[in-house]
Amino acid sequence: MILDKFSLVNFKNIADVSLTFSPKLNCFVGQNGAGKTNLLDAIYYLSFCKSAFQMQDTYNVRHGEQFFMVQGRYAEGELPEEEISCGFHLGQRRKSFRRNGKEYARLSEHIGRIPLVLVSPRDTDMISGPAEERRRFMNIVISQYDPTYLQELVRYQKTLKQRNALLKMETDVDDDFLDTYDAVLTDAGQKIFSQRQRFLEEFVPMFRQVYLSLVPEGEDVGLKYHSQVTEADFMETLQKMRTRDKILGYTSWGVHRDDMEMTQNGYDVRREGSQGQTKTYMIALKLAQFHFMGNKKRSIPLLLLDDIFDKLDASRVERILQLVSQNAFGQIFITDTDRNYISEIIARTGMDAKVFDVENGNVSEEKEQL
């Protein structure tokens, strides 16, 4: 998959930009806060119908403006080009998302159509942050290649929200209502559990292989799935937990409590890993996601690398560059603050490349490319 042409208006700090990209390597160079990450986030938005960093679209609208628009033209082999566009107005209840001019009835219909992997410094939240971050990783990967998983996930989350609202009521909760919600949670939850379990069984060997290509010193890494569902019957446990849930005012048991244990040489990465080791772990995890997605979708995902080389030693940077310059990788977008470093990356990879200077939300293509 190749993003050929790209334009955005009033997205975060960027007023109006239209760009044509290289099919291989595209580099955004500028100081921190200039808007480099915002450009990557706009590309991410066209794949996932939302920002990677902001939950509410109101925060994606440029200060002083009333709307934003993002548009991209994609090409893949001999297939017809596709145009994806989205827009949001502060006065509207929902965003508009279109494929070739036709608006989607449901945003979930678009997920997986433009496969993409983003590697960002914020990925370390998967290690240091709450279990929600690790569930989010599983959800993002599986949803891109399995639309039925996304449907069940949406169904589960909607029902969970309704059940929690009922549990928060001050009056006594009718068990007949809870029976209805619990039946849906059980059906959807068991399917989600099975898919997450299957995903990690397939994913972990690929993750270990990628990690060893970056750190060939014999370090061993692992991922282990932890779920309450393995310990008890779903429906029966929901019913047993009702009294407790009514006191708490929320559902305390189910796949929304799942987690992943991340290990390095048998130890918890969060407690034992150095800053460099933690970052390498996360980059390997995301590059493994890239290969995994490519195999599942039979389409090469877009790869977005946001300021990933900081705090990595030269040998690990070299191995990452060797890896991403292979033919298995398609179109890549990189951000960095150092123009000289970008020149080194282009020289090392030997890729066809374009460089874009970013300053205060303004983007210009360098005319003399290396």
Side-chain angles (χ1 to χ4, degrees):
M1 185 67 69
I2 300 297
L3 176 56
D4 178 25
K5 292 186 180 295
F6 176 69
S7 61
L8 61 160
V9 177
N10 296 335
F11 188 83
K12 297 188 176 179
N13 75 325
I14 300 171
D16 190 352
V17 165
S18 294
L19 304 172
T20 301
F21 291 133
S22 163
K24 291 302 294 182
L25 182 62
N26 298 276
C27 307
F28 299 117
V29 185
Q31 296 303 308
N32 292 328
K36 305 185 303 298
T37 297
N38 293 341
L39 289 165
L40 295 192
D41 196 26
I43 296 172
Y44 182 97
Y45 203 109
L46 287 177
S47 285
F48 291 96
C49 309
K50 63 180 181 180
S51 164
F53 309 114
Q54 295 289 352
M55 294 300 293
Q56 298 183 29
D57 278 314
T58 54
Y59 296 118
N60 295 319
V61 179
R62 189 166 179 261
H63 291 310
E65 303 295 341
Q66 296 297 308
F67 74 98
F68 74 77
M69 182 278 296
V70 183
Q71 187 172 31
R73 189 179 72 184
Y74 296 84
E76 184 172 20
E78 301 299 322
L79 296 175
E81 291 181 340
E82 292 206 351
E83 186 174 280
I84 305 297
S85 62
C86 67
F88 173 77
H89 195 283
L90 290 176
Q92 295 176 341
R93 292 183 59 187
R94 66 188 298 269
K95 69 193 78 177
S96 171
F97 218 94
R98 300 174 184 271
R99 176 190 175 203
N100 297 327
K102 183 177 180 180
E103 188 166 2
Y104 284 101
R106 294 184 299 274
L107 296 180
S108 59
E109 296 174 1
H110 179 68
I111 305 302
R113 186 167 295 279
I114 312 293
L116 177 148
V117 174
L118 167 66
V119 188
S120 161
R122 301 190 191 191
D123 291 333
T124 55
D125 289 346
M126 262 198 285
I127 292 178
S128 60
E132 179 184 0
E133 296 293 332
R134 293 176 284 281
R135 289 193 300 272
R136 182 171 177 265
F137 171 75
M138 291 190 286
N139 291 339
I140 286 175
V141 179
I142 303 172
S143 294
Q144 286 192 81
Y145 68 83
D146 187 351
T148 60
Y149 176 86
L150 181 57
Q151 292 169 9
E152 296 300 334
L153 185 64
V154 170
R155 188 163 71 111
Y156 185 92
Q157 291 175 339
K158 181 180 179 180
T159 305
L160 180 67
K161 183 178 181 180
Q162 293 171 335
R163 188 182 195 268
N164 286 343
L166 192 63
L167 291 169
K168 286 182 173 69
M169 294 176 63
E170 294 183 5
T171 57
D172 191 32
V173 179
D174 191 328
D175 282 346
D176 289 339
F177 280 119
L178 288 175
D179 284 341
T180 302
Y181 291 135
D182 291 355
V184 178
L185 289 179
T186 297
D187 182 55
Q190 288 176 332
K191 293 173 181 176
I192 291 169
F193 167 75
S194 296
Q195 278 296 81
R196 286 176 178 174
Q197 195 172 43
R198 189 177 303 117
F199 157 65
L200 283 178
E201 288 173 355
E202 296 178 23
F203 180 76
V204 169
M206 185 171 291
F207 170 48
R208 286 175 171 154
Q209 182 179 353
V210 172
Y211 187 87
L212 287 175
S213 69
L214 300 181
V215 187
E217 288 91 9
E219 293 182 9
D220 181 52
V221 291
L223 294 169
K224 187 175 181 181
Y225 181 32
H226 292 287
S227 178
Q228 296 171 324
V229 180
T230 60
E231 302 168 1
D233 178 86
F234 209 119
M235 184 72 168
E236 181 182 331
T237 305
L238 280 174
Q239 292 173 341
K240 285 182 178 179
M241 300 290 283
R242 280 185 186 178
T243 301
R244 182 172 187 265
D245 288 350
K246 289 176 182 179
I247 295 172
L248 294 172
Y250 62 85
T251 307
S252 60
W253 192 93
V255 293
H256 59 286
R257 311 275 295 181
D258 286 357
D259 202 350
M260 280 196 309
E261 180 184 1
M262 300 178 164
T263 61
Q264 187 177 56
N265 293 331
Y267 296 99
D268 189 332
V269 176
R270 176 167 45 189
R271 296 187 179 91
E272 301 293 334
S274 67
Q275 195 171 31
Q277 287 175 322
T278 298
K279 191 161 188 177
T280 303
Y281 187 101
M282 296 311 305
I283 291 173
L285 192 72
K286 287 304 193 81
L287 294 182
Q289 176 190 347
F290 178 93
H291 289 297
F292 187 86
M293 286 295 309
N295 291 342
K296 286 290 186 180
K297 297 291 294 183
R298 300 190 182 280
S299 175
I300 300 177
L302 304 179
L303 180 62
L304 280 52
L305 305 177
D306 185 22
D307 191 26
I308 69 165
F309 299 109
D310 185 40
K311 297 181 177 63
L312 291 177
D313 60 57
S315 63
R316 298 194 186 200
V317 170
E318 184 67 33
R319 292 188 184 106
I320 292 171
L321 293 177
Q322 289 174 356
L323 189 61
V324 301
S325 63
Q326 295 173 3
N327 291 332
F329 287 83
Q331 191 177 32
I332 302 173
F333 297 85
I334 291 179
T335 69
D336 206 282
T337 58
D338 190 333
R339 178 62 179 87
N340 292 328
Y341 194 59
I342 288 294
S343 298
E344 292 179 18
I345 290 174
I346 294 172
R348 289 185 197 175
T349 60
M351 290 182 175
D352 174 76
K354 284 190 175 185
V355 178
F356 301 89
D357 294 314
V358 185
E359 184 177 359
N360 296 325
N362 298 307
V363 187
S364 59
E365 180 182 347
E366 292 189 5
K367 297 304 179 182
E368 295 184 8
Q369 306 289 351
L370 296 180

